[in-house]
Structure formats: C-alpha cells, structure tokens
C-alpha cells in the first residue's frame, strides 16, 4: 500500500528555507486594524479535545482508524462532520498494529454527536469504498467543506488526481470538483466541475464573510506553494460566477488570479479574528517543517503579515512528518482556537506497525497581546 505515503509526500515536498515566511511583496500595505497592529504571542497546549475521543474510537477498530485532511463542519442537530481524505478502516490488532488487509479508502466522514462517533463511507460494511466513487484512472482527495441551502447539503471540494502510469509517482492533479452530499443521509447528490484553468487547487479553505464565500486555493509548484483567493456570492459554489483576487481588485478571469502568500500548505485556514483575519498553516518554506504558524490581516485577501509561531510538532523526526495544520472555527471557545495537524510516515510499513501514527493531533491555542 502506498497511496497515503505517495499523496502526502507529493503534497508536502517544498524547497528548504530559513526563518518564517514573509508576506508577498506584491501585496499592498495593510489597512489599520488591531488584529494587525497588535503583537501577538501564542500559548499552545497539545492533545486538545477531540483528540482523545478520536483515538479511543480508532482503537476499537470498529470503523475509522486513521486518516488525514481533518476538516470539520457543524451540521444541523448539534452534529459535527469530520471530513477525511486517505482513510484506514478497522480492525486494529491487540498490540496496536493494523493488519495489512485493513480496508483503505480515499475519503470518509466521521459524524460526531456528543461523544458518539460513526464512520460513513461508500459501498457496504463488508466492502467499504470511498464516498466519492473514484474514476477508473485515479481518485478524489477531499478538501475544505461547508453546508449550503440552509444546512440541507454538505458541500466538499474534491481534487481529482489522475494516474499516468504504474509507478509510485506516476500521477498528477487534474481538476477541481464540488461533491454535494445530503447532510442527513450523507448520500452523494452531485459532483460538479469547479474552475481549474489556472493551476490552482481551490480546496484549501472556505470562509463565509459578508454575503460571500471566499475560496482559498494553492498553486502547488512542488518547491513553492502560493495562496490564491476567489469568491462567490452566497453559499453555493456552483450557483454564481466566481471572482478572482488580482492583488488590487476582483476579476472574472481565473487567469488573473494573483499570488497572495508563498509558503502556505495545501490545506490551511482563514478565519475571522478580532477585527481582522487569521491564517493558520504549516510553514512550507522549509522541507517537512515542524512549524505551525499564524498570519494576520485586515482583509480576507491579505496581505498576510506579522507571522507568529504557534507550535512545533514534536512528532517530526526520522520517517515521521507533519503537515496541513489549520483551525476549526466552528469549535473555537472564546479566545481559544482549536488547531489540527496531520501525522504520517515516509515508510508505509510504519502505518501498519503502529496505528497511532496516522491520526490527527489537536492543539488548543490562545493568542494574547505581547507585553
């Protein structure tokens, strides 16, 4: 089995760099807001909830036993949908390993209500499959998600990857889609193409703000990763024309989309914070970085300034890598942010030998003004 390893290595490969990344020189001077004018410090506590709950559920081997991506969406009825890409399913051996025959699917949901968790996949209990049926020549990697149509639908951005041969590295990203699920039954209702002409994977994050949904994408050049920003009126990514941030305004031309910030991860977050905005990402200016960083802006389009290190992931060592950190604003508690990151191994056998490796970690992060 090589899919989790292959995918994450390709999505994590970056050029090595020194220090925290700086905001793009092409961005304008930020407007005045306290989110930017304040010098912030971070107090971070690892192993925040729901890490323990997910770990205990994984250990039962009755469904989901580990995955990456780790997006969350609040659903009607007090439920939370945890949205995962490459996913292992049970069983789990008594010694904490997983059998080499353990099912593996490219995307799944874990639905939380209180302390109760339920795994949702496609297929049947005896033959589980991905929620989004893979095309014959590839698979779908899921990204950011939100509800639409007054909560009736759960919309998930999906990246289509295409195989180009039989080798481990013979595949590439091809296009963006929106997978729409019924938020009660979790049945796939539609799979709709999204803009894909500018070499931007529009799956990093979705932010609803002042009548728009902002779509954050990543132009992934391997050695460099650049954030791009688009928006659409309302909450349906398929209903209205998209507009693209050019660095100074909005354009209907996807090719006019500007690079906003270098050094973001393929999966990151942009959320409202104080009177401005907070971007949380793994630092991809260095290879297999352990640094989780935050940036601040007065606008959802940046510029992103005053980077603050939120955490250094202790798992990052040897074969073990960490990646794709982002916030869960639906689970924010006052000034305390909930941030997750993914853990994986460059050696696939590790994921079978120790089920605990390939699980998300969660951080409680409190930002305070520096004294």
């Amino acid at each position: 089995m090589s899919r989790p390893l292959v995918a994450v290595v390709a999505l994590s490969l970056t050029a090595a760099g020194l220090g925290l990344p700086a905001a793009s020189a092409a961005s304008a001077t930020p407007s005045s807001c306290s989110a930017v004018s304040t010098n912030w410090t971070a107090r971070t506590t690892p192993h925040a909830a729901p890490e323990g709950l997910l770990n205990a559920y994984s250990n039962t081997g009755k469904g989901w036993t580990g995955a990456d991506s780790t997006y969350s969406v609040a659903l009607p009825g007090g439920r939370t949908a945890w949205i995962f890409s490459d996913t292992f399913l049970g069983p789990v051996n008594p010694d904490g390993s997983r059998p080499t025959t353990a099912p593996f699917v490219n995307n799944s949901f874990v639905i939380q209500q209180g302390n109760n968790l339920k795994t949702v996949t496609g297929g049947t209990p005896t033959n589980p499959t991905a929620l989004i049926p893979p095309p014959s020549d590839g698979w779908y990697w899921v990204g950011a998600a939100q509800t639409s149509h007054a909560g009736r639908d759960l919309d998930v951005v999906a990246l289509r990857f295409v195989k180009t041969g039989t080798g481990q590295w013979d595949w590439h990203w091809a296009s963006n889609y929106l997978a729409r699920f019924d938020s009660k039954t979790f049945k796939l209702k539609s799979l709709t193409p999204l803009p894909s002409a500018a070499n931007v994977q529009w799956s990093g994050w979705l932010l609803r703000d002042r009548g728009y949904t902002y779509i954050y994408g990543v132009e992934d050049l391997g050695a460099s990763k650049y954030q791009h920003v688009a928006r659409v009126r309302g909450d349906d990514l398929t209903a209205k024309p998209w507009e693209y941030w050019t660095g100074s305004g909005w354009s209907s031309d996807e090719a006019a989309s500007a690079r906003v910030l270098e050094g973001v991860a393929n999966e990151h977050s942009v959320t409202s914070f104080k009177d401005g905005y907070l971007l949380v990402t793994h630092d991809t200016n260095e290879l297999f970085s352990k640094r989780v960083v935050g940036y601040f802006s007065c606008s959802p389009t940046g510029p992103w300034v005053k980077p603050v290190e939120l955490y250094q992931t202790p798992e990052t060592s040897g074969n073990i890598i960490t990646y794709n950190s982002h916030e869960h604003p639906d689970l924010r508690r006052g000034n305390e942010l909930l941030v997750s990151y993914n853990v994986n191994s460059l050696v696939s056998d590790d994921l079978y030998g120790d089920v605990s490796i390939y699980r998300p970690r969660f951080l409680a992060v409190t930002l305070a003004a520096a004294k």
Side-chain angles (χ1 to χ4, degrees):
M1 190 283 303
S2 61
R3 272 285 298 116
L5 170 63
V6 171
V8 74
V9 168
L11 291 174
S12 299
L13 283 175
T14 58
L18 297 175
L20 290 171
S24 168
S27 299
T29 302
S31 302
S32 176
C33 64
S34 65
V36 166
S37 62
T38 303
N39 293 319
W40 299 100
T41 61
R43 184 177 71 252
T44 301
T45 303
H47 308 304
E51 184 175 315
L53 182 67
L54 284 167
N55 289 350
Y57 179 63
S58 171
N59 289 338
T60 69
K62 295 180 179 179
W64 177 98
T65 63
D68 59 5
S69 284
T70 319
Y71 288 98
S72 62
V73 176
L75 298 178
R79 299 168 298 155
T80 295
W82 294 97
I83 296 165
F84 295 103
S85 291
D86 288 345
T87 302
F88 278 110
L89 303 173
V92 172
N93 295 322
D95 64 355
S97 65
R98 58 167 52 93
T100 57
T101 55
F104 171 80
V105 297
N106 292 124
N107 39 79
S108 70
F109 298 156
V110 173
I111 307 303
Q112 178 182 0
Q113 186 154 32
N115 289 326
N116 296 317
L117 300 175
K118 177 181 72 172
T119 301
V120 180
T121 65
T124 66
T126 56
N127 185 28
T129 60
L131 284 164
I132 308 172
S136 60
D137 60 349
W139 69 91
Y140 291 97
W141 178 286
V142 295
Q146 65 176 13
T147 57
S148 66
H149 304 113
R152 295 190 301 275
D153 294 327
L154 174 59
D155 292 350
V156 183
V157 182
L159 305 179
R160 179 174 176 174
F161 286 89
V162 173
K163 300 173 185 176
T164 58
T166 58
Q168 178 171 299
W169 298 100
D170 293 339
W171 53 272
H172 65 84
W173 167 77
S175 52
N176 305 308
Y177 284 81
L178 186 76
R180 176 162 290 158
F181 296 87
D182 184 287
S183 67
K184 290 184 178 180
T185 66
F186 305 109
K187 299 298 183 183
L188 181 65
K189 297 173 68 173
S190 60
L191 188 63
T192 306
L194 294 178
S196 304
N199 196 36
V200 176
Q201 299 172 18
W202 293 109
S203 62
W205 190 255
L206 300 174
L207 169 68
R208 280 195 197 151
D209 190 62
R210 302 178 189 183
Y212 287 92
T213 298
Y214 288 83
I215 308 109
Y216 295 87
V218 175
E219 179 189 1
D220 185 348
L221 302 181
S224 299
K225 299 175 189 285
Y226 298 93
Q227 185 194 58
H228 288 246
V229 186
R231 70 179 185 181
V232 64
R233 287 189 180 274
D235 64 5
D236 187 342
L237 302 190
T238 66
K240 300 287 186 180
W242 284 30
E243 298 178 306
Y244 306 91
W245 179 246
T246 67
S248 59
W250 296 96
S251 171
S252 60
D253 180 7
E254 187 181 1
S257 177
R259 294 171 175 175
V260 176
L261 179 68
E262 184 177 6
V264 294
N266 294 72
E267 299 174 4
H268 59 274
S269 61
V270 175
T271 57
S272 297
F273 178 75
K274 304 299 182 181
D275 56 350
Y277 299 86
L278 169 68
L279 186 158
V280 173
T281 184
H282 243 73
D283 173 14
T284 65
N285 282 286
E286 83 175 332
L287 185 64
F288 300 137
S289 176
K290 62 174 62 177
R291 290 192 299 222
V292 181
V293 296
Y295 293 86
F296 303 88
S297 179
C298 299
S299 166
T301 60
W304 300 104
V305 298
K306 303 180 77 167
V308 173
E309 185 173 276
L310 306 181
Y311 192 63
Q312 290 197 11
T313 58
E315 298 85 359
T316 307
S317 178
N319 297 328
I320 306 302
I321 59 173
T322 58
Y323 55 101
N324 285 347
S325 51
H326 56 75
E327 194 197 343
H328 298 267
D330 47 308
L331 299 171
R332 187 185 288 182
R333 297 181 178 178
N335 291 329
E336 185 180 89
L337 318 178
L338 181 66
V339 172
S340 67
Y341 61 92
N342 297 139
V343 183
N344 209 325
S345 176
L346 298 173
V347 177
S348 293
D349 288 348
D350 290 346
L351 305 183
Y352 290 98
D354 184 354
V355 71
S356 71
I357 294 173
Y358 193 54
R359 295 170 174 169
R361 278 36 167 199
F362 290 85
L363 308 171
V365 180
T366 300
L367 290 167
K371 296 180 180 179

